[in-house]
Each structure stands twice: as structure tokens, then as C-alpha cells.
Amino acid sequence: MATTVRRTVLTLPAAPVGAANPLPALRPLDEVHVLDEHAKRDLPRDMARQIGYEPLRTLLPVRILDGYGRDRAPAELDAIVIENDRLRATVLPGLGGRIHSLHHKPTDRELLYVNPVFQPADFALNGAWFSGGIEWNIGATGHTALSCAPLHAAVVPAPDGGEMVRLWEWERLRDLPFQVDLWLPADSDFLHVGVRIRNPHERTAPVYWWSNIAVEEHPRTRVVAPADEAWYFGYERTLRRVPVPEFRDVDRTYPLRSEFPGDYFYEVPAPARKWIASLDEDGRGLVQTSTDLLRGRKLFVWGAGRGGRRWQEWLTEPGTVGYAEIQAGLARTQLEHVRLEPGEEFSWLESYGPLAADAGTVHGDNWPAAVAEVEQKLARALPRSAVDAAYEAWRPSADAEPARTLAVGSGWGALEALRSGVKLPGTPFDESTIGDEQVPWRELLTTGALPQPRRVAPPGPSLVSPAWRDMLETAPADPLTEYHLGVAQWHADDRAQAVRSWERGLELAPSRWPLLRCLAVADQEGGHPERAAERWLDAFDDLCQERRDDGEGWTAATAALGREAIEALLAVGRTADARSVWARLRPRVQERGRFRLIHARLLVAEGLLDEARAIFDAGFEVADLREGSEVLNEVWARLADGPVPDAYEYRMRPGS
């Protein structure tokens, strides 16, 4: 059959993502992939330089997604199916362009780990993320802020005269447009993926990219890559060179032979073909390969320990098969960012498809023989020259204009295109996509002033790039403009000026809590926790007086600000004030798992250990538990001598 592209609907048990957190993300969420400074001393010079290049200081202008829960109900998800007589790929354009499934028809085999549910969890740079399939991670170290966001999607002409699917968006953390072209030739067992990242600015940009592939994990699953060494990151915030396949007397290429989660970034020799494969006990599975620009390859394992198993259940359903991740990136490790010069672009081609190798050789004791066997089978199935040729064939098509719209992403790219006048062949950001969040900024662009809100509500998102900051500086200095200007100055690391802007806005602001909260963060970051706690308390008092209803927006603001206020007050021993904040939260907020944990911490601070223990005994789930967080272990240690129950064990490293 000829390759076809069609829209469909996928029905899954799903937990809604919920409202975005309206508080500006002045700091990154806790990121586990961070090195201690002394750990960089023994790294190769180029790796150390790229690890230190432009780390995120904030998540601005992106908003945090933490409004999801654990209650799932059947939901219809828009999907795109790309299909020939060999493969069927199912894509979710509304969820970061995730490839949900890659099914090989002749063998009736699913090549990916397919999550049977949609369950957000706190793994993305901005919170909500979900497991399974193939995801496109762009922005900075971690899972992309677009994990649960819509992308633009359209049909475009393929290099072979057929149709291919283009996904594109404007990545806002680094202010860069990108595209992912999914091309499935009519007679191919391999899905080709052409990726392009462009820098339309007059400044150098830090770039991060890792294609993340979830594969089923069984006792005899083995991951093979052309490397004899790897850089191991094990959540102790160290990076060390280790041998492959055995490390500490265990063959780590079998995901279930590790106890704790860990990353293995393979040291693939520069001249070697770039590929990675996950193969089962019969030597069958998925292989991913690419042109040479995508140099990095990685294996992530959850391990067989209690914490890893609990996370696996948390991200899907108990009783379902687990998964590991094989990945491919622009750098050797995910801690690095790569420079993209002004006006330049990165582009490459990846290929995904089935592989069958001799099981005895793949699972034998001779690692070089296993690598050679997989490489030979890959060369027969898809020669290296064929991948290079597919890339050269695709490049002219990368500029082809969309022929048929399949899905619509955000309006932020259209706003940037309107501001800058940049022309990006192949990835149009049409002004018709501008929505409610972008409208005030379009008015600033056209009139020089931000419009005053028509009703009392939490402020909308801020824009922080240099061009928008310049416009805010020349706009009329009303309180709302001073608020957004301070956020932009904070993002530029001009913290003293940000504080001055917020203080000026506070003098005349009818709505004081957004400015007080920003000043509280500045006080905390500046080493003034007592003053910060007082400002958080004042901000929460003001919010409670101002909120108009129990709608989604006000509820999200109250929950987010209340959580920050309680944690700040507890940190300085103001237990009674923390209790007063807790008492003013709505019952439906207090009932959330996150807030039941906060209540347990409050009870511990009040010396009511039996009541705190009763919360744990009754059971609760913290829907937005952050990857790497050990807060449940820490609170449990105050309440009991024994190990934390399995339901609360999410530790990703050995305990102290």
C-alpha cells in the first residue's frame, strides 16, 4: 500500500493536565541531573565546558503544570496515523508530538512501550510529563516543557512524492523554532524522522536535544550500542566513566539487573555509526540510528529496587510491563548544551525500525561479538549509506510548505514572528493562531502599552526575551507593567532592578499579592528567609481578600501561593502562621495528596506526631511528586523507625 496519513481519535484512561500554575516560575524546579562543582574537575574539557554553558536560572517564560491529579477517566486524544504496508506510527500532536505507538505489521509486533493510560507526573522541566513512546526533548537538561503541550501539525510533500507529517513549535525556554518531519516511504520498514532547529536571532543560542524512546523491559531485554565505555550518572550528582557492559560486577546492559535508577551515556567513537538497539530474549526488537550529528546514545534504567518498581507503577498501572529508555542526543550527555550560532541551524535524520539478530550472540558473554552482530544486521536492514541518502533527500523537503493542517499548536510562535518579521520556510506561525494569552502582548507591540485587565484575575504569563523587556521598559509604568518588567529583569539576572520594579508597582497596585510573592522569592534567594516568610504571609492574606470565586484560575493561584507560604513559614519556625494559611485553603485543595503531605509536615512541626502518622496510615498519593524527591522518606523518618512503606518509596538512590 502507498503511505497514508489520517487523523483519528485514541481513547485512553486519562488524568486531566489541569490549569497552569499562575505564579511566574522565577526558579527552576528541582533538577536531579546537576553536578557538584568538584565532580567536573576530571571530565574532558569539552564536556565540562558544555555542562557549564547556559544552565537554566529560571523556567521563564514557561508556566509550571502542577494542577493534575490521579483520577483517570476515558478521554479522547487526537491522533495522527502514518501507515504503509510495513509500519504504523500513531502520533499525539496535542501532547508534544509524542509517537505513542510504532507497530510492525509483518511480525505483528509493537516496537515501543505503549502506556495504556495517560497519567501526568512531575518529570518535565515545567512539571507535567507522561511515560511511553518516543518523545522529542528540546530546551534544557530534562524532559521538554512541551511534554503535555500541543504542537502544530500538517501534511507536507515527502521526498519520494508521497506525504509526510510535520510537527513544529516555538520552544520558549531557548526561544527557538524547531520541526520534526515524520517520513515513512511506501516500502520501508523504517520510519525516518528529520529534525531541524533554527536560530533566527542575532545572538548565540544554547541547544539541547534528546530523542527519548521507551521500550519494554523484560528480564532478558538487552540494550546494545557501539561502545566499550559509558558515562554513568546515578542520582548522587556525580558523573563517572565506567566500562560497558559490566560495572561493579553486573552487566548493566540488562535494565533489570540494576537495583537503582541510573543513566548510562555511551561513549560512541566518533567514526562509528550511531545507533542503539533494545532486543528481547529472541534477539528481536527496536533499533534507532541516525546521521552523525546526533552523536550521543543513552540507556536509562529504573532498576529492580523498590523505588524504581514503585515509579513504574506510578507512571502507568500496576500489573503492566515495565520499560527502559534508549535515547539519542546532540551531546555525549544530557548535562550538556551545544552552541548554535546566529542565523544557523542544526539538522539531522533519525530512523526507527525492527531488528532481528542472533539471540545466542546478542546474549552471549562476548560483548564485541554482540555489538558486531547487531551492527551487521542493521547494515543489512538499513545501510549507513541509506540513512545518509535519506537525509540528503529530505533536506530540500524541510522547507516545503504545509499542504493540509492536522493540528494547531500555541500562538507564541505567531507572536514572535509578528514581532521580529522572521520568515521560516516550512514552519508558518500564522497570526490566526494568536489566542487570549498572546493578545495583551500583541497590543503592547502595536500600541506601546499593555492593556489593563477588564476584570480582577491572576495576572497572565510574562514575556522575558530582550526585545519584550525593552518594550516593557518604555511602556507606561503602571503596576501591571512593573510586575511583568520585574519578571523579565529577573530572567535577565538583573535581580536588583527586578526588585525595584516590583517595589514601584507595589506602591499603587490594586492587586498586591502577585508583587509581594515575587519579592518574597527575591528575599528567599537573597538569604532573607524571615522577611520572605512575612511577605508570603502578606501575599496570601491579600489573595484571600481579592479572590472572586472558586473557579479554576483562583483555585490554582490559592493552592500554589498557599503551598509556598506554608513551606516558607515552616522553614523559619512560624508554625502558627503556617496553620493559619492551611486553615484558609478550600477543602478540595486540602484533600489533594500534596496538601495532605503538607498537613503531615505541619503536624510534625506542631509536635502532633500521632496525627501526622495517621495521615500516612490512611494513605495518600502526591500526584506531583518530583523526580528524585525524598520528602516522603524524610517525613516518615520523623514518624517511625522502620523503612518507609512500599506505597511511599520513590527513592532513586541508596539511602543514607
Side-chain angles (χ1 to χ4, degrees), residues 632-642:
L632 289 166
N633 305 75
E634 294 163 1
V635 177
W636 178 261
R638 300 287 303 274
L639 304 175
D641 295 328

Short mmCIF file of all heavy atoms in Angstrom, two decimals, residues 632-642:
data_model
loop_
_atom_site.label_atom_id
_atom_site.label_comp_id
_atom_site.label_asym_id
_atom_site.label_seq_id
_atom_site.Cartn_x
_atom_site.Cartn_y
_atom_site.Cartn_z
N LEU A 632 9.03 12.18 51.14
CA LEU A 632 8.23 11.17 51.84
C LEU A 632 9.09 10.38 52.81
O LEU A 632 8.67 10.08 53.94
CB LEU A 632 7.56 10.25 50.83
CG LEU A 632 6.43 10.88 50.02
CD1 LEU A 632 6.07 10.00 48.82
CD2 LEU A 632 5.20 11.11 50.88
N ASN A 633 10.30 10.03 52.39
CA ASN A 633 11.22 9.31 53.28
C ASN A 633 11.60 10.18 54.48
O ASN A 633 11.69 9.69 55.61
CB ASN A 633 12.49 8.92 52.53
CG ASN A 633 12.20 8.11 51.28
OD1 ASN A 633 11.76 8.66 50.28
ND2 ASN A 633 12.44 6.81 51.31
N GLU A 634 11.81 11.47 54.22
CA GLU A 634 12.23 12.37 55.30
C GLU A 634 11.14 12.54 56.35
O GLU A 634 11.43 12.52 57.56
CB GLU A 634 12.62 13.72 54.69
CG GLU A 634 13.86 13.65 53.80
CD GLU A 634 14.01 14.86 52.90
OE1 GLU A 634 13.14 15.77 52.98
OE2 GLU A 634 14.96 14.90 52.10
N VAL A 635 9.90 12.71 55.92
CA VAL A 635 8.82 12.87 56.89
C VAL A 635 8.56 11.56 57.62
O VAL A 635 8.37 11.55 58.84
CB VAL A 635 7.54 13.37 56.18
CG1 VAL A 635 6.38 13.46 57.19
CG2 VAL A 635 7.77 14.73 55.53
N TRP A 636 8.60 10.45 56.88
CA TRP A 636 8.38 9.15 57.52
C TRP A 636 9.43 8.89 58.61
O TRP A 636 9.09 8.32 59.67
CB TRP A 636 8.42 8.04 56.48
CG TRP A 636 8.25 6.66 57.06
CD1 TRP A 636 9.22 5.76 57.34
CD2 TRP A 636 7.02 6.06 57.48
NE1 TRP A 636 8.69 4.62 57.89
CE2 TRP A 636 7.33 4.78 58.00
CE3 TRP A 636 5.69 6.48 57.47
CZ2 TRP A 636 6.36 3.91 58.48
CZ3 TRP A 636 4.72 5.61 57.96
CH2 TRP A 636 5.06 4.35 58.46
N ALA A 637 10.66 9.30 58.37
CA ALA A 637 11.73 9.08 59.36
C ALA A 637 11.45 9.81 60.67
O ALA A 637 11.97 9.41 61.72
CB ALA A 637 13.07 9.53 58.78
N ARG A 638 10.62 10.86 60.63
CA ARG A 638 10.25 11.56 61.86
C ARG A 638 9.14 10.83 62.61
O ARG A 638 8.89 11.12 63.79
CB ARG A 638 9.75 12.97 61.52
CG ARG A 638 10.77 13.86 60.82
CD ARG A 638 11.86 14.32 61.78
NE ARG A 638 11.31 15.02 62.92
CZ ARG A 638 11.04 16.33 62.94
NH1 ARG A 638 11.27 17.06 61.84
NH2 ARG A 638 10.56 16.91 64.03
N LEU A 639 8.49 9.88 61.91
CA LEU A 639 7.30 9.26 62.48
C LEU A 639 7.48 7.80 62.86
O LEU A 639 6.68 7.26 63.62
CB LEU A 639 6.14 9.35 61.47
CG LEU A 639 5.79 10.76 60.97
CD1 LEU A 639 4.72 10.68 59.89
CD2 LEU A 639 5.33 11.63 62.13
N ALA A 640 8.50 7.14 62.32
CA ALA A 640 8.66 5.70 62.55
C ALA A 640 10.13 5.33 62.42
O ALA A 640 10.91 6.03 61.77
CB ALA A 640 7.81 4.91 61.56
N ASP A 641 10.49 4.20 63.01
CA ASP A 641 11.87 3.72 62.95
C ASP A 641 12.12 2.81 61.75
O ASP A 641 13.24 2.71 61.27
CB ASP A 641 12.23 2.96 64.24
CG ASP A 641 12.23 3.86 65.46
OD1 ASP A 641 12.55 5.05 65.29
OD2 ASP A 641 11.90 3.37 66.55
N GLY A 642 11.10 2.14 61.26
CA GLY A 642 11.28 1.17 60.18
C GLY A 642 11.34 1.83 58.81
O GLY A 642 11.21 3.05 58.66
#
